[in-house]
Amino acid sequence: MEAGSQIFFSYAISTSALIALGSYNKYNTNCYRDSLIICAINSLTSLYSGFVIFSVLGYMADALGVDVKDVVKHGPGLAFIAYPKAVTLMPVSPLWAVLFFFMILLLGVDSQFVGVEGFLTAVVDIFPKYLRKGYNREIFTAIVCFVSFLVGLSMVTQGGVYVFHLFNNYGAAGFCLLWFCFWECIAIGWVYGAERFYRDIESMIGYRIDPWMKICWLFISPTICAFIFVFSLVMYERLDYEDKPYPLWGDLFGWVLALSSMLWIPAYIIYKLTPWGTPGPLTIKQKWAMLVVPVLARDLTEHHRGEYDIIGIPFIKNAHVVNVNPNEVRINGEKFEQATNV
């Protein structure tokens, strides 16, 4: 579970960071090539870091006469307890101490840049009418950073490590990312259509990518995410820190942190199936049929014409085209009035 979750954090999957940064690229940027380069560099960096980390932990374990697993547990203790102690044993230890903590500072600042930008880009794209006027975006950015700063202050108090551990295991938990990644795979592979997404990439980079990717979108990735997610829930244990269990209210607060982001997916689906989310004389079945049909820009529709099969699965040929009458929807040829934007 922890290894799978770390992969998601390491590659910034389901955190909106890659999508936000990629949105600044030109349309014909070779995103396929860039994604392979990112994966290769990230994997090689992780491999190199593993040699560095375990060589230091092995040295400390030998010096203390204990097993490597007993030197330090996972969590902040590795960066702020074990490594600083190891640095003091090195020649010219003050120099290494300065370099080490400067590296930690750069990692933290870089992570904040990407994390904040991923959140800001999504919110600004949702509310462009308000946040793209004057200095509204800058003001909103300052508010987000100030709120994040206040939350971070709670983690540097006397009991701050317990707050950090709570946020780390619930607010930024692996099962949250697994939940989002599973629904992203379902949305791309089964609702929007893997073949349609496949052709979108072809229209961007000029050639068809490896069909193995399509199999991953449809089957392998959602299956792995669902398996690890269910396994993490089955093996769930009450949170503790240094063998001291958290009180019940602490665990409940942690689940509030986790569900505050996870529940928005099913909640929005239910909302869109209600008369408030999709007005008009439509049954739930008709609303569902309308909502799962993708919305395509008119200049992209030519890339999606024809009969396709996705590994034996019929390709969803119908797609809504933007700039149609927002008060008219046709489902299987039947016309409905007073519908929402299609």
Side-chain angles (χ1 to χ4, degrees):
M1 166 61 190
E2 292 185 2
S5 301
Q6 185 58 39
I7 291 295
F8 281 77
F9 283 111
S10 181
Y11 286 92
I13 300 175
S14 297
T15 62
S16 77
L18 294 177
I19 298 176
L21 298 179
S23 66
Y24 293 101
N25 285 331
K26 295 181 179 179
Y27 180 79
N28 296 113
T29 298
N30 195 330
C31 56
Y32 178 64
R33 177 202 60 198
D34 293 346
S35 63
L36 295 179
I37 293 175
I38 290 174
C39 292
I41 293 176
N42 186 82
S43 299
L44 292 175
T45 303
S46 299
L47 183 64
Y48 173 74
S49 300
F51 283 111
V52 175
I53 291 172
F54 284 100
S55 62
V56 173
L57 293 180
Y59 170 75
M60 293 186 64
D62 181 70
L64 298 174
V66 298
D67 294 333
V68 173
K69 63 182 180 65
D70 297 323
V71 174
V72 65
K73 295 183 178 180
H74 66 278
L78 178 62
F80 298 106
I81 298 176
Y83 255 79
K85 186 175 181 179
V87 166
T88 61
L89 304 176
M90 296 180 180
V92 199
S93 58
L95 174 62
W96 291 111
V98 171
L99 293 176
F100 173 76
F101 284 104
F102 182 66
M103 177 195 70
I104 294 294
L105 175 64
L106 292 181
L107 288 175
V109 172
D110 291 347
S111 299
Q112 280 298 103
F113 274 128
V114 175
V116 172
E117 182 61 31
F119 172 74
L120 291 175
T121 301
V123 177
V124 171
D125 288 345
I126 295 174
F127 304 105
K129 185 186 301 184
Y130 306 102
L131 296 177
R132 288 180 179 170
K133 286 184 177 181
Y135 292 97
N136 289 358
R137 179 189 170 100
E138 287 75 10
I139 295 173
F140 180 66
T141 302
I143 294 174
V144 171
C145 293
F146 181 70
V147 172
S148 301
F149 172 73
L150 294 180
V151 175
L153 281 182
S154 66
M155 302 180 188
V156 295
T157 59
Q158 186 172 2
V161 66
Y162 294 97
V163 179
F164 170 83
H165 200 55
L166 191 67
F167 273 77
N168 188 49
N169 284 271
Y170 286 106
F175 58 82
C176 293
L177 295 181
L178 291 167
W179 171 264
F180 285 111
C181 188
F182 171 79
W183 287 110
E184 285 180 3
C185 293
I186 296 300
I188 293 296
W190 297 92
V191 177
Y192 183 76
E195 179 64 26
R196 180 175 284 118
F197 192 62
Y198 198 69
R199 292 206 164 206
D200 286 343
I201 297 177
E202 180 185 5
S203 71
M204 294 171 63
I205 64 178
Y207 61 90
R208 295 176 69 84
I209 64 176
D210 194 323
W212 169 255
M213 294 293 181
K214 194 188 303 181
I215 300 176
C216 291
W217 300 333
L218 285 167
F219 305 110
I220 298 178
S221 295
T223 300
I224 293 177
C225 291
F227 174 78
I228 300 178
F229 177 79
V230 173
F231 182 78
S232 65
L233 295 181
V234 172
M235 301 299 293
Y236 170 76
E237 295 180 354
R238 291 278 302 276
L239 186 64
D240 66 84
Y241 182 73
E242 294 185 347
D243 299 325
K244 296 179 182 179
Y246 276 63
L248 178 60
W249 65 265
D251 275 305
L252 293 177
F253 177 73
W255 278 108
V256 169
L257 288 175
L259 295 176
S260 64
S261 58
M262 296 172 62
L263 286 180
W264 284 106
I265 294 178
Y268 188 73
I269 294 174
I270 296 173
Y271 167 73
K272 294 298 288 186
L273 293 175
T274 63
W276 301 278
T278 307
L282 304 176
T283 64
I284 293 181
K285 183 178 180 180
Q286 290 169 336
K287 290 179 181 179
W288 179 263
M290 182 184 70
L291 293 171
V292 298
V293 176
V295 177
L296 298 177
R298 188 174 297 277
D299 57 349
L300 291 179
T301 55
E302 292 300 326
H303 296 289
H304 305 289
R305 298 191 183 281
E307 299 280 348
Y308 312 117
D309 286 325
I310 308 174
I311 318 177
I313 300 173
F315 174 63
I316 302 176
K317 293 172 289 183
N318 299 323
H320 297 315
V321 182
V322 296
N323 298 326
V324 299
N325 182 0
N327 296 318
E328 175 182 322
V329 178
R330 292 183 180 271
I331 301 177
N332 296 329
E334 188 175 357
K335 179 179 176 181
F336 296 94
E337 300 292 342
Q338 295 179 347
T340 55
N341 188 26
V342 181

